[in-house]
Amino acid sequence: MAVSALELRPRNAVALMDAALRLCTRNAGVWALTLPGGAAVVAAMLYLAESVRMGWPLVVPSLLLTLAWFLRGLGQGATCHYVQELLLGTQGEPSAWASLKAALGRMPALFIAVAYLLGLNTLVVMVTGGFGYILLQSHGVGYAAVMQGRGSPLKLYGTCSRLLGPARGTALWVRALMSVQVLAFFNLHIAFNFLLFLGRKLVGVDLTFAERFASLDNGQWLIFLAVTTFALFEPVRAATATLLLVDGRVRQEGLDLLASVQQLPSRDLGRPLPPPGATRGAAMLAVVLGLGLLTAAPAHAQDTEDAKPLAPTEALRRLGEVAEACEASADEDAADLYAPLESLGPGEAVKLDRFVRRVERQAFDEEDCDKARATLTQGLTTMGATVDAQARADARAAAARAKDILARPEFAEAAPKAEKDAPEPAAPPETPGWWQRFIDWLGEQLKKLFEREPTESRQETAQPLLSGMNVANVLVVVLVTLTLAVLGAVLLRALNRDKRRTDAAGVQVSTVDASTLAGDAHHALSRPPEGWAHLADELAARGAYREAVRSLYLALLSRLHRDGAILYDETLSNWDYLSQFRGHAEWKAPFRELTRRFDFAWYGNLPVGVDGYREFRALTEPLLAAPSRPEVAGA
């Protein structure tokens, strides 16, 4: 049943888990889509465990388990699509076949998601010891996100985090609530042993070997219980994943935002608005300032060009002009003083530029040649010291680099060979860290798990016809047969639902005696549809429009019950009638709209006027005026 958008609101983890459990218990489609993959995983895991115990080759069992896991991923995707259509109803009436076709259409992306999630969960469990599996919660909705076609499957975790949004915290608590599987594990063990106890006490069958097999000290029995519990919770995983995505979408698309906006202070309506002339004046001022900035741009560019540091050759030429103007070129040491200018690096170009401008200002602007000559001599001496210091630094850097090169292993001298007779001193053993101890322990456990048991030579002895092993084998065959029969029944029930609706469309079941309901004014079957419609017109004429709408809705329920479209029961709600609707497909949409309007008017206490009553009457009229089907005699 599609849910109206007005009924969607953010839910907490307990509410989402409760909704998923109720959805799985009331709908057979989720079981029909998840049971094949779950049964395949259980069978493949048991085959792999038996192969490890008997020492058989593990290639075929591992391949079968891989194929079963991919089949399980395909079923999860189809179930997520089915639950989404069941909740939102974006593509019409949900069905198992349509969801399976949708999953097959996205099969490459689903298979990529299966490999991605398997690798991510394995890596998280191995690195964090299992704690990260609880903390990293977004990828739990991976199959539902893939079926929505959002993002790339190779970036599945980021896509899931973005789709969940504020619901990531809820997903963490939902994963914590999934620990209820531990209780289901022990309940399965207790229920199976209780059945064996009843069989031994009531029927008198010797089930000693079966009871020994179904004990907690048997590894194969533990594997069977764990995998069966995992398979039974497959529908719940798909339902919770879809509900989490719906909850994240609801949180992101307005309900929480609306609540926050309503808490903001109201706008000050008493503040005067600026006059239109002030707005135009501000716009003109911005245009004038923009033109002024554009006009000044070439001057700024020229200043930037003039501010470029001088090259050493240009500085040498300009300093020579200053020395010639101030008659300082006759000094004998002038040539030695000018030599360091050409050795200055790019880092000293700015300092050289300031020095040249200072000397030129003193010589030409201030006409103080004595001061210019003194500044020139002092500056040239300082530059020479700078060049010498830079050269020494470069030499030290080159020496350090050479030492680093010579320190490489290829340039190291071979150590002298130790004498054979002299024993090498044993280094004290280092205490391994906790990570190394964990890796060693894990390797020993895997070695014990996959190590073949030594085969002992034993003599062939005659086995009795009725032994514990034979009884257990027969019991396993019977259980597998019953499981397949239940699976087939569930599949046939889910896939033939439309056929049953068509066959039952012309049958009306009358289970209530109308004479006993004649005095009950609240029962829809106490009057015929025409009587309720006539009462609605009388109430509307007196101005009681809410009561008139209720009478019209009761007339509609009475008519649908007479036609066999619903089974009227006072314990059911209006939306339960919509979920079990079996009438004409074109009647379901107006029935949903009438139900929504009636709930708002009657239970929501919304006022109803003459226009509202007329609209409700116009929607009800085609359903009430349609030709009725005769009630089946004797029903």
Side-chain angles (χ1 to χ4, degrees), residues 98-109:
S99 299
L100 184 60
K101 290 179 181 178
L104 292 175
R106 295 192 177 275
M107 186 167 60

Side-chain angles (χ1 to χ4, degrees), residues 505 560 563-566 580-588 629:
L560 294 178
D563 287 351
I566 64 172
Q580 69 175 8
F581 186 79
R582 291 182 175 84
H584 297 290
E586 62 271 12
W587 286 9
K588 191 169 186 179
R629 299 177 180 178

Side-chain angles (χ1 to χ4, degrees), residues 102-127:
L104 292 175
R106 295 192 177 275
M107 186 167 60
L110 284 175
F111 284 175
I112 294 174
V114 169
Y116 181 95
L117 294 176
L118 181 61
L120 178 62
N121 290 328
T122 304
L123 181 63
V124 168
V125 171
M126 292 183 61
V127 172

Side-chain angles (χ1 to χ4, degrees), residues 365-390:
D365 297 343
E366 300 177 2
E367 296 181 356
D368 190 353
C369 288
D370 295 335
K371 186 177 180 181
R373 283 196 298 270
T375 303
L376 178 61
T377 304
Q378 182 181 2
L380 292 176
T381 304
T382 304
M383 290 181 186
T386 302
V387 172
D388 294 339
Q390 184 177 358

Side-chain angles (χ1 to χ4, degrees), residues 394-457:
D394 294 341
R396 287 195 298 270
R401 187 168 180 272
K403 289 181 180 180
D404 293 339
I405 294 175
L406 293 177
R408 294 176 181 175
E410 56 265 23
F411 296 105
E413 296 182 0
K417 295 183 179 180
E419 296 181 1
K420 296 182 179 180
D421 298 336
E424 295 182 357
E430 297 181 359
T431 304
W434 67 271
W435 178 252
Q436 185 63 35
R437 294 196 301 271
F438 172 72
I439 293 299
D440 296 339
W441 175 82
L442 183 61
E444 293 177 0
Q445 297 299 323
L446 292 176
K447 184 177 179 181
K448 291 179 182 179
L449 180 62
F450 291 99
E451 189 178 29
R452 297 186 177 182
E453 297 180 357
T455 56
E456 298 179 358
S457 59

Side-chain angles (χ1 to χ4, degrees), residues 11-156:
R11 311 272 181 170
N12 55 20
V14 177
L16 287 178
M17 194 71 179
D18 179 69
L21 291 174
R22 287 190 289 108
L23 189 146
C24 294
T25 54
R26 295 181 181 181
N27 198 287
V30 292
W31 293 95
L33 292 173
T34 53
L35 274 181
V41 171
V42 172
M45 195 66 189
L46 292 178
Y47 182 38
L48 178 62
E50 183 67 15
S51 300
V52 171
R53 190 181 70 86
M54 299 298 296
W56 298 338
L58 302 179
V59 178
V60 176
S62 301
L63 179 60
L64 292 178
L65 180 60
T66 304
L67 295 177
W69 197 259
F70 277 99
L71 178 62
R72 177 247 177 192
L74 189 65
Q76 281 285 303
T79 309
C80 291
H81 182 272
Y82 181 83
V83 174
Q84 180 179 354
E85 292 300 318
L86 195 67
L87 292 174
L88 304 180
T90 58
Q91 298 179 2
E93 185 71 16
S95 64
W97 276 118
S99 299
L100 184 60
K101 290 179 181 178
L104 292 175
R106 295 192 177 275
M107 186 167 60
L110 284 175
F111 284 175
I112 294 174
V114 169
Y116 181 95
L117 294 176
L118 181 61
L120 178 62
N121 290 328
T122 304
L123 181 63
V124 168
V125 171
M126 292 183 61
V127 172
T128 64
F131 293 100
Y133 184 76
I134 300 177
L135 298 178
L136 297 177
Q137 73 285 350
S138 297
H139 60 285
V141 299
Y143 296 111
V146 169
M147 290 306 298
Q148 290 188 5
R150 305 285 187 87
S152 172
L154 299 178
K155 300 178 181 178
L156 188 58

Side-chain angles (χ1 to χ4, degrees), residues 505-520:
V507 179
Q508 177 189 5
V509 179
S510 177
T511 58
V512 183
D513 188 4
S515 60
T516 61
L517 300 175
D520 190 357

Side-chain angles (χ1 to χ4, degrees), residues 621-634:
E621 187 65 28
L623 302 182
L624 297 177
S628 61
R629 299 177 180 178
E631 185 175 354
V632 178

